[in-house]
Amino acid sequence: MDLPGLDSLDIEGRTILVRADLNVPLGDGAVADDHRIASSIPVIDQIRRAGGRVVVCSHLGRPEGRDPAFSMAPVTARLGELGGFPVAQIDGVAGTEVTAAVAAVPADTVAVLENTRFEPGETSNDPELARGLAELADGFVLDAFGSAHRAHASTVGVAELMPSAAGPLLAAEVAALSRLLEDPARPYVVVLGGAKVADKLGVMRHLLPRVDRMVIGGGMCFTLLAAKGVDVGDSLLDQDRVGEVSDLLAEYGDRIVLPTDVVVADRFAEDADHQVVAVDAIEPSRMGLDIGPASIEDFAAAVAPARSVFWNGPM
């Protein structure tokens, strides 16, 4: 897939809005893991070297409205520390006051908008919010691969209103995925994890015909286990998706690797009473919260011979 890059934009002397992925974990009001922040710096540096002014936007967590606990302020501070350039936190996402505040930021300073999800129109791709974002800049760069699949105002909406390009991080991810879809080195193994099987069904349907093995853990594995007739107790279960999952298992079950043992507990808490049991021995009052040691060995054995691995999810 060929995407327009930064060289397709007129950058010198212009303001470029960058949709980055700065959705990082916070702890005690500080950034707990700055990997994504560091990954966003190359596109910012490239625009600055080309003579452009930079405005950065991103979501952070899943706030219910404007919540100071999800402010971009600590992220902005860390961005400046890692990037070695001056930064300015803007107290808002769009609107006349935000436009004025961005215009007042010195040309050598990177302006960072407040959490885009503070705006109710972000996740609904509200045209008014998209227009407000477009008014802040002369061009748009999407470099947030982890958010590119969401039709939000800060991803799809603003891109439709102004000259737009893919950032280097997004372009590299798309190139890697294209290789995995078109001509992967084999054996080709996919590792999936995450809470919601509904979020991964599209990936599973698309990739199962192409892969040699698909290793599935995380909360989503319990819906697959249930589809095989396993009583998963109080584990996370999407009952509405069991039928769809059953169809996939019937067609591609020989390629799917599921846990054989799990860590169960009476509740989801650090101090919960927990133990390792076989997947078919989960008591009704207990929930599976992680794969067990035997499953770790099985998963490692499935991945070890792979020449291509696509890993999706936090497992």
Side-chain angles (χ1 to χ4, degrees):
M1 180 186 296
D2 293 325
L3 299 173
L6 290 183
D7 57 358
S8 69
L9 295 179
D10 186 4
I11 293 177
E12 186 174 4
R14 297 179 181 271
T15 300
I16 306 299
L17 176 66
V18 175
R19 176 51 162 100
D21 183 0
L22 304 179
N23 183 29
V24 298
L26 302 177
D28 297 325
V31 173
D33 183 342
D34 59 18
H35 174 74
R36 289 182 177 177
I37 300 175
S39 298
S40 73
I41 291 173
V43 67
I44 296 172
D45 283 340
Q46 191 172 342
I47 294 169
R48 284 163 51 84
R49 287 195 301 269
R53 300 176 71 237
V54 180
V55 179
V56 175
C57 67
S58 175
H59 78 280
L60 179 62
R62 297 184 178 183
E64 298 292 335
R66 192 178 181 93
D67 184 346
F70 293 95
S71 172
M72 291 292 293
V75 178
T76 299
R78 188 60 179 147
L79 177 65
E81 293 170 359
L82 291 174
F85 41 67
V87 294
Q89 173 70 44
I90 305 299
D91 187 25
V93 178
T96 55
E97 293 183 2
V98 172
T99 302
V102 168
V105 172
D108 67 339
T109 299
V110 175
V112 181
L113 304 181
E114 191 48 279
N115 191 339
T116 58
R117 289 190 180 173
F118 281 3
E119 294 287 339
E122 161 71 327
T123 56
S124 63
N125 191 13
D126 179 64
E128 184 176 348
L129 178 57
R131 282 192 295 270
L133 287 166
E135 289 173 0
L136 300 175
D138 306 297
F140 173 67
V141 174
L142 179 60
D143 207 31
F145 177 76
S147 300
H149 65 294
R150 296 189 174 100
H152 290 177
S154 69
T155 56
V156 171
V158 67
E160 295 174 340
L161 300 175
M162 61 199 311
S164 303
L169 187 61
L170 176 65
E173 293 278 11
V174 169
L177 281 178
S178 296
R179 290 194 299 272
L180 290 177
L181 289 172
E182 295 161 8
D183 188 25
R186 295 188 179 276
Y188 175 20
V189 178
V190 170
V191 181
L192 290 182
K196 299 178 182 178
V197 71
D199 290 345
K200 312 291 184 179
L201 272 173
V203 174
M204 293 171 65
R205 290 194 198 96
H206 196 66
L207 292 181
L208 274 169
R210 296 172 164 85
V211 306
D212 297 295
R213 307 297 294 276
M214 182 174 285
V215 177
I216 300 177
M220 63 181 289
C221 79
F222 296 104
T223 299
L224 280 87
L225 289 168
K228 294 184 69 173
V230 175
D231 185 347
V232 297
D234 199 30
S235 306
L236 189 65
L237 173 63
D238 188 343
Q239 189 65 53
D240 293 338
R241 306 288 180 174
V242 169
E244 296 175 72
V245 167
S246 296
D247 293 340
L248 290 174
L249 286 168
E251 188 168 1
Y252 301 107
D254 59 331
R255 303 182 187 184
I256 296 174
V257 181
L258 291 171
T260 56
D261 65 341
V262 289
V263 180
V264 298
D266 56 347
R267 55 200 170 90
F268 181 55
E270 188 174 353
D271 61 347
D273 174 42
H274 63 280
Q275 64 184 131
V276 176
V277 300
V279 293
D280 59 359
I282 302 174
E283 298 177 8
S285 62
R286 297 176 79 80
M287 61 181 69
L289 296 173
D290 204 348
I291 62 173
S295 298
I296 291 173
E297 295 291 335
D298 293 342
F299 285 15
V303 173
R307 295 184 60 210
S308 299
V309 178
F310 171 47
W311 196 305
N312 179 260
M315 183 180 59

